[in-house]
Amino acid sequence: MNPFKEAIGHGPVLLGTWMMTGSDTVAEAMATVGFDFLVLDQEHVPVDTLDAIRIDRAIRGVSSTTTPLYRLAWNDTVLIKRALDGGATSLMVPFINTVEDAKRAVESAYYPPLGKRGFAAVHRASRYGSNPDFIRQAREDLCLILQLETPEAIENLEQIAAIEGVSGLFIGPGDLSASMGYPGNPSHPEVQAKIKEGIDKCKALGVPCGIVGGNPELANKYQSMGFRFVALGSDMSYLLARAKEQLAAIRGEKLTVSGGEVY
């Protein structure tokens, strides 16, 4: 079974980070740190299918406990199919607003009868045709996370979560804050209230839900609210923060802090 899919439903909160550099070398290094998952971002990073496979291999090559979580560029049948045929087992589909959006993602991700995923016998996911049990495993192992990033999505949360094949949800605070008129300010009280509304609904339904926090304080707050998997920062933010810290120390400058993050 997919350990990430199993773990988000019970046990300790899973902690991860966002991969924004698009580098398989950086991903390989980050997989040695101890994160439970690394979000392989294909929406805001120019990572194509082959890049994703290289990053996936790098992560799995050094860690059996760190899950590559693919965040796709869009809710698109071709993108979903290519990611799955390339070996992805945990997917996060962005900007799901309605039941129809969610059904389209499920149909694209699963083989019939649950979905309409196109079948190919020989690809990386099936070990190039050598796994005779691939079709059954493909359904059982797939972890399909749908991202809710607007007030409309939070309003439709119960109906979206009820669709067969949905493994969990993810509230995107960045786009949620922008859609509410507070771009770049997910800590705004109104945004936080909407996030709480979302996680309260998930807890009532028993549906695993994830989120990303920009600093440890926010990530800890989200854990206490009941989020089952929480991403903290990104490989790029860690790289920049450490570089700025070292440079400021040499120059005798004081670092500025915004929202708990060092800039």
Side-chain angles (χ1 to χ4, degrees):
M1 288 294 294
N2 182 336
F4 181 77
K5 183 178 182 179
E6 291 290 300
I8 61 174
H10 58 81
V13 175
L14 301 185
L15 300 176
T17 192
W18 230 259
M19 304 304 298
M20 298 295 293
T21 62
S23 166
D24 54 342
T25 300
V26 174
E28 185 176 47
M30 293 296 283
T32 69
V33 172
F35 286 111
D36 299 303
F37 64 96
L38 298 175
V39 180
L40 199 171
D41 194 345
Q42 293 183 273
E43 182 178 5
H44 297 298
V45 180
V47 170
D48 61 20
T49 301
L50 287 177
D51 293 328
I53 290 174
R54 294 187 187 103
I55 294 171
D56 184 301
R57 282 176 177 153
I59 294 170
R60 296 182 196 270
V62 296
S63 176
S64 61
T65 59
T66 302
T67 294
L69 176 57
Y70 288 56
R71 199 272 284 274
L72 300 182
W74 198 245
N75 184 10
D76 178 86
T77 298
V78 173
L79 296 179
I80 292 172
K81 175 170 57 180
R82 287 184 175 178
L84 292 172
D85 286 356
T89 56
S90 299
L91 295 183
M92 198 152 68
V93 181
F95 223 76
I96 302 295
N97 282 321
T98 66
V99 170
E100 289 72 26
D101 292 338
K103 287 181 177 178
R104 185 164 65 253
V106 168
E107 287 182 349
S108 299
Y110 288 91
Y111 289 119
L114 181 57
K116 300 178 180 179
R117 177 183 170 187
F119 178 77
V122 180
H123 45 52
R124 183 170 182 258
S126 67
R127 298 179 188 172
Y128 305 100
S130 68
N131 180 6
D133 204 24
F134 167 69
I135 297 299
R136 180 189 63 81
Q137 289 178 354
R139 172 165 179 167
E140 293 181 358
D141 289 354
L142 175 59
C143 183
L144 181 63
I145 306 294
L146 303 184
Q147 282 190 252
L148 311 182
E149 304 173 82
T150 66
E152 178 188 9
I154 302 298
E155 180 68 25
N156 294 326
L157 189 152
E158 291 96 340
Q159 292 79 15
I160 290 171
I163 297 171
E164 184 181 1
V166 175
S167 308
L169 303 174
F170 186 96
I171 296 176
D175 280 312
L176 180 60
S177 64
S179 68
M180 294 179 67
Y182 307 106
N185 188 14
S187 295
H188 190 280
E190 290 185 24
V191 180
Q192 287 295 304
K194 187 60 65 175
I195 289 172
K196 185 178 186 304
E197 178 185 340
I199 187 58
D200 286 348
K201 287 183 177 181
C202 286
K203 289 191 293 184
L205 295 168
V207 174
C209 189
I211 197 166
V212 59
N215 56 69
E217 292 76 17
L218 198 52
N220 283 331
K221 175 184 177 180
Y222 289 147
Q223 288 190 75
S224 67
M225 289 172 66
F227 285 94
R228 297 293 307 134
F229 54 108
V230 180
L232 171 64
S234 69
D235 57 348
M236 184 70 80
S237 67
Y238 294 139
L239 184 155
L240 293 173
R242 184 62 171 165
K244 291 175 181 179
E245 173 191 306
Q246 295 287 295
L247 189 58
I250 293 171
R251 290 176 171 171
E253 299 172 346
K254 184 178 180 180
L255 288 175
T256 59
V257 179
S258 176
E261 294 187 4
V262 177
Y263 290 93

